[in-house]
Amino acid sequence: MDLPFLMLVLLLLGIGLIMMFSASYATAYYTDGDPLVYISRQALFGAVGVVGMFVVSKINYQTFRWMSMPALIGSIVLLVLVFTPLGVTHNQARRWLKLGIEFQPSEFAKIAVILFFAARLSKRDTEKRKRYKNRTFTGRMLNRLERVGFLELVPYGAILLLVAALMLKQPHMSGTILVLAGGASVLFAAGIHWGWFVAGITGVGGLLWIVITLTPYMTNRINLWLDPWSQRQGLGYQTVQSLIAIGSGGMLGRGLGNSIQKMLYIPEPENDFVFPIVVEELGFVGGLVVLVLFALLILRGYWLALNARDKFGALTIVGIITLLAVQVFLNIGVVTNLIPNTGISLPFFSYGGTALMIQLGEMGMVLSISRQIPPPKHD
């Protein structure tokens, strides 16, 4: 397997566990009476996830091709089950499902969409264009739509709209963005004309704007983003405390474990807002090092995609790495108030056992594909 990619994953996981432990220490102590309650669970899930990553990396990645259809159907069923009595609501959002353990079906939907798109689009170059009879008006219209590539996009667009609609209803704006970004990245890498992406981004942007303006939940998020200080003792409290933590870190930070904001000032610092604690304790330099490591992992992932043995492997890596890159950007954007609060976690750092195991499983898929990269030719 590709050792640089593996080392970067393990390094980020190690730093993430240390910082999650530091960020969660006070919350765990004062609310649960056990300062180790979060780190013990996360470390266990991390260990299981690493084992799972190595197991997945040993699987021939062509197996993921035939698994893509059952995975997509299963993830859609799980998204629907969220709206049944099996669904669980937290903070006015119904995103979780309880089947023995509590998890977010959207985590499975993200990778399922990528695998299905990669499996179908990898055959794109070998499939012949459909021909319709020009004798009828319908046939002529269908031939025109086929020439411009519209008919090819219909099934992919329908899947994205279905999954996005189910996630928006939860509501789960960040998850919706991630699914759309992952699917769009695979379509783009497969060679779909860029004009469709311009049209798609315009259409999705308009749709999201309508959803935001007509949904009180989303409208409040936008108003909060524009001026969190106006509600610094209310809904803007978490964002304000995040900015204070980042600003008080200075160049080199207060020192590992010495954060003040984690002492019950930032709500749930072990989850979405773990990065402000990183910057407060390790400073601008420490925060920059973490971002550089993420950047190196993302660049290495795209390099593996460029050198993959076949198109299915390349498209799968592009989707997974784009998913990771967008998630990192959204999380850092939220905690710095660059973008509205979307409730998204930081990969390898935020508390959440199921999400961590799925992320490591995805890294295992990338490593599985890297095993079959042809060796460089020497003259």
Side-chain angles (χ1 to χ4, degrees):
M1 69 178 77
D2 188 71
L3 289 181
F5 189 87
L6 174 63
M7 290 299 103
L8 286 167
V9 169
L10 294 178
L11 187 58
L12 281 167
L13 176 63
I15 298 173
L17 287 173
I18 292 170
M19 294 313 306
M20 200 285 297
F21 177 38
S22 178
S24 67
Y25 191 91
T27 304
Y29 179 77
Y30 289 112
T31 60
D32 296 282
D34 180 7
L36 303 179
V37 64
Y38 288 113
I39 185 59
S40 58
R41 295 174 187 171
Q42 191 77 346
L44 177 60
F45 280 112
V48 174
V50 169
V51 173
M53 178 178 69
F54 279 105
V55 171
V56 172
S57 74
K58 291 283 189 178
I59 299 172
N60 187 327
Y61 72 90
Q62 298 300 333
T63 306
F64 307 139
R65 190 192 295 267
W66 66 261
M67 287 174 55
S68 60
M69 177 66 82
L72 180 64
I73 295 173
S75 64
I76 292 174
V77 171
L78 290 175
L79 287 173
V80 173
L81 288 177
V82 168
F83 304 105
T84 69
L86 295 172
V88 179
T89 302
H90 294 297
N91 299 325
Q92 302 178 344
R94 195 176 183 85
R95 303 174 185 171
W96 292 264
L97 197 61
K98 191 156 189 178
L99 298 173
I101 61 172
E102 196 172 296
F103 64 94
Q104 291 190 40
S106 58
E107 297 292 337
F108 294 98
K110 296 169 193 171
I111 186 62
V113 167
I114 289 171
L115 287 178
F116 180 78
F117 279 25
R120 289 294 305 270
L121 289 165
S122 62
K123 303 175 183 177
R124 182 172 181 261
D125 296 336
T126 60
E127 291 179 345
K128 294 182 179 179
R129 287 185 176 273
K130 294 180 180 179
R131 299 285 184 181
Y132 300 93
K133 295 181 180 179
N134 278 322
R135 299 174 185 175
T136 62
F137 174 76
T138 303
R140 290 193 293 272
M141 285 298 299
L142 290 173
N143 278 326
R144 290 193 186 99
L145 292 174
E146 180 68 24
R147 279 196 297 272
V148 297
F150 178 79
L151 294 183
E152 181 186 21
L153 290 176
V154 169
Y156 304 108
I159 291 169
L160 286 177
L161 285 176
L162 175 60
V163 175
L166 289 171
M167 294 177 71
L168 282 173
K169 189 171 175 60
Q170 295 178 359
H172 195 357
M173 179 63 75
S174 59
T176 305
I177 294 172
L178 287 174
V179 166
L180 293 176
S185 66
V186 177
L187 288 168
F188 183 81
I192 302 297
H193 193 274
W194 62 267
W196 289 114
F197 292 94
V198 175
I201 291 171
T202 304
V204 170
L207 181 62
L208 289 178
W209 179 255
I210 293 172
V211 170
I212 289 170
T213 53
L214 297 180
T215 308
Y217 176 85
M218 297 299 178
T219 304
N220 292 336
R221 287 289 181 96
I222 295 297
N223 293 334
L224 197 62
W225 167 58
L226 293 174
D227 188 10
W229 297 92
S230 65
Q231 302 184 55
R232 57 183 176 273
Q233 294 300 324
L235 295 176
Y237 180 80
Q238 190 175 37
T239 301
V240 169
Q241 295 302 320
S242 171
L243 295 174
I244 291 173
I246 293 172
S248 61
M251 184 62 68
L252 299 177
R254 298 180 183 273
L256 182 62
N258 294 328
S259 165
I260 294 175
Q261 294 304 114
K262 73 180 180 185
M263 305 300 290
L264 305 186
Y265 288 102
I266 296 182
E268 300 184 7
E270 71 280 356
N271 285 332
D272 302 348
F273 282 74
V274 66
F275 189 71
I277 306 302
V278 174
V279 179
E280 184 184 7
E281 294 189 351
L282 305 182
F284 173 80
V285 173
L288 185 62
V289 168
V290 170
L291 293 182
V292 168
L293 289 175
F294 272 117
L296 290 174
L297 180 67
I298 292 163
L299 290 173
R300 187 65 182 182
Y302 284 131
W303 183 89
L304 292 175
L306 289 172
N307 292 275
R309 180 176 290 275
D310 61 12
K311 195 168 185 178
F312 172 66
L315 294 179
T316 300
I317 293 181
V318 166
I320 291 173
I321 296 301
T322 301
L323 204 63
L324 175 73
V326 173
Q327 193 166 345
V328 171
F329 171 78
L330 290 179
N331 179 270
I332 304 301
V334 165
V335 300
T336 57
N337 204 40
L338 177 66
I339 59 176
N341 195 330
T342 57
I344 194 165
S345 60
L346 183 63
F348 309 122
F349 280 73
S350 295
Y351 178 72
T354 307
L356 179 61
M357 288 196 299
I358 292 175
Q359 287 160 6
L360 290 171
E362 292 169 354
M363 299 302 103
M365 290 181 179
V366 175
L367 291 171
S368 172
I369 296 168
S370 76
R371 286 182 182 275
Q372 297 190 33
I373 290 179
K377 295 180 180 179
H378 298 286
D379 295 332

